[in-house]
Amino acid sequence: MPLHVPPAPAPALRSVLTALGSPTAVREARTPSLRTAQGDVTPELPLPLHVLDRIAPEGVAATRLAGWRFLIRCGDRAVAAADTRLTADGWAFSHFFEGPYIASTERALRQAESITQPFQARLLSVPGLYMLTLWLHGDSASDGTTGQPAPTDLLVPLAPAPPGIAAHRAHRVAELLPLLTLRVTPATPPLLGSPA
């Protein structure tokens, strides 16, 4: 299998396991499918979650690691996800959630397993478009926490994708970033004389 999933930091996994073992954390989560799950629930497929902060006009992307996302499996399917974030004290559980990105992530990962070129699986969020993609990074030996999207990396938009962008279709970064540059609204510059 050429698709590589980097190992999550042990404290991130421990924080998710602790939250799953806490009746309060599960009961208070806005995840009905997790609260009503019958049987054991386990965190699987940890993916580093990067955020696309900006796209330069020449198509270069600046990203940062925002956390690790675990799919929470019960039986033969994922019923929720858990996000972790880096704090001053290390990796900590952030929240549980569910929704269409759970099944869409599983589908994109299954599709990526059929690609013959080795890739590392990551998630890339584009907040300016309310868009999440499976980022197939060409450096499969990386620890998953650093690196920018290379022109030959693949981005697979997850459903629901923004209008005009096909979900579950792999795009080379060099092809998709220019399109995203046109769609992301640039930040409004400060008015003259106002604090930046």
Side-chain angles (χ1 to χ4, degrees), residues 34-125:
L34 185 58
R35 287 194 306 267
T36 60
Q38 300 294 316
D40 292 335
V41 290
T42 55
E44 295 182 355
L45 292 170
L47 296 172
L49 175 61
H50 293 259
V51 174
L52 182 67
D53 284 324
R54 63 180 171 77
I55 306 170
E58 59 275 2
V60 178
T63 63
R64 63 180 165 81
L65 179 67
W68 285 80
R69 178 166 293 170
F70 296 79
L71 294 181
I72 307 299
R73 185 167 301 282
C74 181
D76 62 350
R77 68 183 188 95
V79 296
D83 276 0
T84 63
R85 60 186 169 86
L86 191 57
T87 68
D89 296 325
W91 288 100
F93 170 74
S94 175
H95 62 280
F96 293 117
F97 67 95
E98 61 183 51
Y101 285 134
I102 309 299
S104 188
T105 300
E106 282 190 306
R107 177 180 170 189
L109 286 166
R110 280 193 308 271
Q111 289 174 314
E113 287 176 347
S114 67
I115 298 173
T116 56
Q117 180 180 345
F119 282 108
Q120 181 185 81
R122 302 173 171 198
L123 293 172
L124 181 64
S125 172

Side-chain angles (χ1 to χ4, degrees), residues 105-164:
T105 300
E106 282 190 306
R107 177 180 170 189
L109 286 166
R110 280 193 308 271
Q111 289 174 314
E113 287 176 347
S114 67
I115 298 173
T116 56
Q117 180 180 345
F119 282 108
Q120 181 185 81
R122 302 173 171 198
L123 293 172
L124 181 64
S125 172
V126 186
L129 293 175
Y130 301 100
M131 179 179 175
L132 185 64
T133 70
L134 177 65
W135 171 12
L136 301 175
H137 188 52
D139 182 2
S140 59
S142 165
D143 66 1
T145 63
T146 60
Q148 304 300 321
T152 56
D153 287 355
L154 298 176
L155 296 176
V156 182
L158 302 181

Side-chain angles (χ1 to χ4, degrees), residues 19-20 22-32 34-36 96:
L20 282 171
S22 165
T24 304
V26 172
R27 189 174 52 250
E28 292 179 0
R30 295 185 184 133
T31 51
L34 185 58
R35 287 194 306 267
T36 60
F96 293 117

